[in-house]
Amino acid sequence: MLFGALALVALIAITQLIPLYTDWLWFQEVGYSQVFLTMLSLRGWLFLIVSIGFLIFLYGNLTFATRTAAPDVYWELEDQLGLPGWVVIEPLIRRFLPLAAAVIAFVAGLSAMASWETVLQFVNAIPFGATDPLFGRDLGFFVFTLPFWRLVHGWAMALVLITLVLMLVLSVLQRSLVITARGPRLAAGARTHLLLLGTLALLLKAVGFWLDRFEVVYSPRGVVFGASYTDVYASLPMLGALAVLALLCAGACTVQIRWPGVRLVAGGVIVLVIAWVGGLGVYPALLQRFRVLPNELAAERPFIANTIRMTRQAYGLDRIEAREFPAAESLDRAARSNGMRQRSRTFASGTIGRSYGRLPSSRRSGPTIGSPMSTSTAISSTASIGS
């Protein structure tokens, strides 16, 4: 098992090193070695930070769970799953627990390396000098800051959920959670640990709902790209309400630690899921169908105006100054005659003929312009026109 895991890690490393070496040769050839080294350094730091963070959090929680567990022989006899006894499972858990945490941390570090551009843009962010009409924030927030915080939130949420799942598996294996004839039974220590992890997950979900509010500026729901009537008057307030509701559910998890059972947490999570589905799925659809579509132009007019204004600003069209240049035909007969004589001299000099003569033969017909015959013909034609 250990040899197979090491072989898998070596294979992943080789598949990463080959394209990395190819990129190094290309950057070196075009003279941008320093750019490649900066990118490589940032990816290395991301790998280390994310891998070490995942490893410490995972291994710390799982090790604490195994060392604080107090298996009950009576519970083991009541267990309906038919798993091997704690005496058999405990050595296996202690042997493979560090390996499992290390593999998960290694994979997380590799996935984090792909997000180096988002981190680099956040570190070197500069303001745009223009604000969005919905939140009043500088546009640089949506380009540089928001993607970074979404990335960090995704890493934290994945870490907590993976830990929560592994904690449930570990609780079953060490008989902290057993299925008996009277239903599932959970040990006090494992229950407290799982409720704390649930509190952390719900807090992160509240942050996720709050960050989702800013994503409405990318909504494709309306007639134009960006925030529409339904997004502003349905999705936006519901996301704020869901963030508050998730915070209340996190508080319920904390309170449930002192109270027996899990009814308070289960009720809060059920209410959150119903509000999530209804507030972001059903309610916006009904508002779009019965309020917006009957008179879509009137409802979406201010949001269309915002889109046009911001698009003109993005392309610099708002700095164009419109001026009127009235066309007045005031040329007299003498001016027209001078212009005609100027054109005659141009034909006579053979300039047009020489230029036309350079064209491919397939695009010409008749005698070659520029020859004596064609030039004299042009002069006589022009003279007749001028007269």
Side-chain angles (χ1 to χ4, degrees):
M1 183 69 180
L2 180 60
F3 179 76
L6 293 176
L8 179 62
V9 171
L11 181 61
I12 295 175
I14 291 174
T15 57
Q16 293 290 326
L17 288 176
I18 292 176
L20 193 66
Y21 179 67
T22 305
D23 291 341
W24 163 252
L25 293 178
W26 185 87
F27 276 93
Q28 193 175 31
E29 182 68 23
V30 297
Y32 285 96
S33 303
Q34 188 60 40
V35 175
F36 179 81
L37 293 176
T38 301
M39 178 187 68
L40 188 63
S41 173
L42 182 58
R43 294 176 69 178
W45 278 110
L46 280 176
F47 176 80
L48 289 176
I49 293 173
V50 174
S51 296
I52 294 174
F54 266 69
L55 183 61
I56 293 175
F57 191 85
L58 279 171
Y59 188 71
N61 277 273
L62 299 179
T63 304
F64 179 80
T66 56
R67 291 180 178 178
T68 57
D72 194 321
V73 178
Y74 178 70
W75 280 26
E76 187 170 334
L77 294 175
E78 274 196 322
D79 190 4
Q80 303 293 310
L81 297 177
L83 296 173
W86 174 246
V87 178
V88 178
I89 293 179
E90 192 269 342
L92 297 177
I93 292 177
R94 292 188 180 277
R95 179 181 301 176
F96 292 106
L97 186 62
L99 180 61
V103 170
I104 294 174
F106 181 76
V107 174
L110 288 181
S111 65
M113 291 173 61
S115 305
W116 66 272
E117 288 182 289
T118 303
V119 178
L120 194 63
Q121 289 174 355
F122 172 76
V123 173
N124 298 280
I126 57 174
F128 274 47
T131 58
D132 77 289
L134 185 57
F135 297 101
R137 290 179 173 268
D138 188 88
L139 298 181
F141 170 80
F142 299 94
V143 178
F144 304 122
T145 307
L146 182 60
F148 173 77
W149 288 118
R150 296 292 300 181
L151 180 66
V152 174
H153 175 264
W155 289 341
M157 198 69 182
L159 176 58
V160 173
L161 291 180
I162 291 173
T163 307
L164 192 58
V165 171
L166 292 179
M167 272 291 303
L168 286 172
V169 174
L170 191 61
S171 298
V172 172
L173 291 177
Q174 65 186 9
R175 301 306 197 285
S176 296
L177 173 62
V178 296
I179 306 298
T180 68
R182 293 168 293 176
R185 300 181 64 182
L186 186 62
R191 178 177 176 274
T192 301
H193 198 163
L194 289 173
L195 286 174
L196 288 175
L197 288 175
T199 301
L200 185 56
L202 288 169
L203 288 175
L204 288 173
K205 192 57 191 174
V207 175
F209 283 133
W210 187 257
L211 292 177
D212 287 340
R213 297 172 64 255
F214 301 105
E215 297 286 346
V216 299
V217 299
Y218 301 111
S219 173
R221 187 197 302 270
V223 293
V224 293
F225 186 81
S228 63
Y229 182 94
T230 303
D231 296 314
V232 173
Y233 292 102
S235 299
L236 194 59
M238 286 306 304
L239 285 170
L242 286 172
V244 175
L245 187 56
L247 287 175
L248 293 177
C249 290
C253 269
T254 306
V255 173
Q256 191 73 79
I257 295 175
R258 296 181 174 273
W259 290 0
V262 291
R263 293 182 179 180
L264 187 60
V265 176
V269 171
I270 291 174
V271 171
L272 177 63
V273 172
I274 294 175
W276 192 351
V277 175
L280 296 184
V282 178
Y283 176 56
L286 293 177
L287 186 66
Q288 181 76 17
R289 176 66 181 85
F290 295 104
R291 173 64 181 86
V292 178
L293 290 182
N295 194 0
E296 191 169 20
L297 181 59
E300 302 286 2
R301 187 185 300 275
F303 306 102
I304 295 174
N306 287 336
T307 300
I308 295 174
R309 179 171 60 84
M310 298 302 292
T311 303
R312 288 174 56 85
Q313 184 177 353
Y315 285 96
L317 301 179
D318 58 331
R319 297 191 296 270
I320 294 178
E321 182 180 354
R323 296 182 181 179
E324 294 185 1
F325 293 93
E329 296 184 2
S330 58
L331 294 177
D332 53 10
R333 183 178 180 84
R336 290 196 296 269
S337 299
N338 291 334
M340 190 60 68
R341 285 194 292 272
Q342 181 65 31
R343 289 194 294 272
S344 300
R345 286 194 293 271
T346 302
F347 275 105
S349 63
T351 303
I352 297 178
R354 287 193 297 272
S355 299
Y356 186 80
R358 296 190 185 99
L359 296 175
S361 59
S362 60
R363 298 178 59 184
R364 290 177 286 153
S365 61
T368 304
I369 295 180
S371 61
M373 181 180 68
S374 60
T375 304
S376 61
T377 304
I379 293 175
S380 61
S381 302
T382 306
S384 61
I385 293 173
S387 61

